[in-house]
Amino acid sequence: MTNTELWSSAAWLASATAWLDERLAAAGRERTGPVTQPHLRLWGTVLTAPTADGPVWLKAPGPENAFEVPLYQLLTEVAPDWILRPIAADADRGWVLLPDGGRPLGEQVSEGELPAALAEVLPRYAELQREVARHVGELLSFGLADMRPAALPGAFDEALDAVGLYLGRHATDDDRAALRRMAGERATVEAWCERLATSAVPASLDHHDLHVWNVLMSESGRLQFYDWGDSVIAHPFTTMLVTLGFLRSQYGMADDDPRLLGPRDAYLEAFGDLGPRDELVTELELACRVGKVARTLVWLRALRPQGFENAGAFQRAPLESLLAVVAASHLDLRG
């Protein structure tokens, strides 16, 4: 049985609904309407239900992303101002019950306002990363992948082999040739990692999918970061691969577009005590490049258990992410 078959089964839904009701009752709240399932993906599902105090959300990540539940619990302790605080969590089941945090930032500001909105948000995320950097050992114990610079050359080798296995009989001759070319880039990747390993910026939590649809804004204007299921431990600047890469791709920006550089510089300012700005910019660009190795493995973590045939529109995402390591731009998300 695939994850999606399990999560859509009557037995699973009944069990999850019962747990939701129990946890609400323990928190002094009561469900006022039916439970619905707005999200059902290969890597996780979400249920939602109305209450007198607003909707609640039960998130059930897949087994390979189950670290998200204890991660929420840790973030509640060390960075409570920037995250949704769980109503309840069950690490054994891999379930977390969350309050409503408002609508995504991307729905609430216009296209032209997004860069300025990100420039306001990203220093707060940087503060979170600096707080969480003291807890890397705990994060690793939860099962988050180690994608720190010293581990990435090995991760690059793993990604090459794993993408080939994942594609299997679906790989074309062009795919196999592209993987051979990528294998020839190992020395370059290793050199980038060695440079990053000398950084004064400590490793921390990389959300790895931080874009304007994973930042929630309440009616009062409170901003909170959401959806930690792709997280890894890495050089913190790796986060900017998706944050800035998504913005660049969505709106067709060049790497030197001021609308891109503004959010980048606002983020880096929070690390200004750790090195000259030019060095931090260089580290960010390298972190984004090697972060594509992590992105490849994150895609594989989500898709491989279900197989290539069940991956739908995401079938080639692992290969494309790996080929992007040596793309023209450090912010290219696909090769």
Side-chain angles (χ1 to χ4, degrees):
M1 179 182 290
T2 65
N3 287 341
T4 52
E5 289 170 338
L6 171 66
W7 293 324
S8 59
S9 69
W12 188 90
L13 289 169
S15 177
T17 298
W19 182 82
L20 183 154
D21 287 339
E22 290 169 4
R23 296 302 89 205
L24 282 178
R29 300 175 68 169
E30 183 178 355
R31 180 160 60 91
T32 58
V35 174
T36 58
Q37 189 173 33
H39 301 293
L40 179 62
R41 300 287 187 270
L42 296 171
W43 48 85
T45 190
V46 173
L47 307 181
T48 188
T51 77
D53 300 307
V56 296
W57 305 82
L58 189 161
K59 183 169 187 181
E64 295 196 5
N65 299 350
F67 60 79
E68 188 174 6
V69 177
L71 174 58
Y72 260 112
Q73 294 172 298
L74 175 65
L75 291 175
T76 299
E77 297 173 10
V78 302
D81 293 337
W82 300 299
I83 69 153
L84 290 174
R85 303 184 195 185
I87 298 167
D90 188 325
D92 292 334
R93 285 189 172 100
W95 296 346
V96 61
L97 182 61
L98 299 166
D100 189 66
R103 293 187 295 127
L105 185 63
E107 292 182 1
Q108 299 197 52
V109 298
S110 68
E111 176 182 327
E113 295 171 324
L114 281 178
L118 273 178
E120 180 181 346
V121 166
L122 290 179
R124 304 183 192 187
Y125 176 73
E127 291 177 36
L128 179 151
Q129 287 184 301
R130 298 201 67 170
E131 290 291 333
V132 175
R134 304 184 183 99
H135 301 271
V136 164
E138 291 171 77
L139 297 175
L140 291 170
S141 75
F142 298 157
L144 277 80
D146 185 356
M147 295 294 168
R148 290 174 291 185
L152 277 173
F156 179 73
D157 295 336
E158 178 187 350
L160 282 169
D161 292 341
V163 169
L165 288 172
Y166 165 75
L167 290 174
R169 61 186 174 83
H170 302 283
T172 66
D173 289 343
D174 286 344
D175 294 339
R176 287 185 278 269
L179 286 173
R180 289 193 295 271
R181 289 195 299 273
M182 284 305 304
E185 299 289 348
R186 190 186 193 283
T188 299
V189 172
E190 188 170 10
W192 290 338
C193 293
E194 288 175 354
R195 165 63 181 83
L196 276 180
T198 68
S199 172
V201 180
S204 187
L205 181 65
D206 168 15
H207 182 287
H208 215 72
D209 197 26
L210 186 65
H211 48 67
V212 292
W213 277 266
N214 276 336
V215 180
L216 302 176
M217 186 165 69
S218 69
E219 291 183 2
S220 66
R222 183 181 182 188
L223 295 166
Q224 295 169 296
F225 304 109
Y226 171 69
D227 193 2
W228 298 90
D230 288 338
S231 298
V232 299
I233 308 303
H235 189 296
F237 296 176
T238 305
T239 296
M240 293 300 103
L241 168 62
V242 173
T243 307
L244 300 180
F246 184 88
L247 191 66
R248 174 183 179 273
S249 174
Q250 190 82 359
Y251 302 112
M253 299 177 182
D255 285 356
D256 60 354
D257 193 307
R259 296 172 295 172
L260 206 59
L261 299 184
R264 182 202 70 181
D265 292 344
Y267 171 74
L268 288 178
E269 189 174 344
F271 298 91
D273 60 312
L274 298 178
R277 179 182 172 281
D278 288 349
E279 286 188 15
L280 296 178
V281 169
T282 296
E283 288 184 11
L284 185 144
E285 292 178 358
L286 288 177
C288 289
R289 283 208 173 274
V290 300
K292 298 171 189 180
V293 176
R295 185 166 173 81
T296 301
L297 291 172
V298 166
W299 272 118
L300 286 167
R301 183 175 70 196
L303 302 177
R304 189 167 43 195
Q306 311 301 312
F308 184 90
E309 293 84 352
N310 294 312
F314 306 108
Q315 285 179 336
R316 299 182 62 80
L319 175 63
E320 291 289 340
S321 296
L322 185 59
L323 299 183
V325 171
V326 292
S329 169
H330 63 286
L331 295 177
D332 279 339
L333 296 174
R334 295 195 167 190

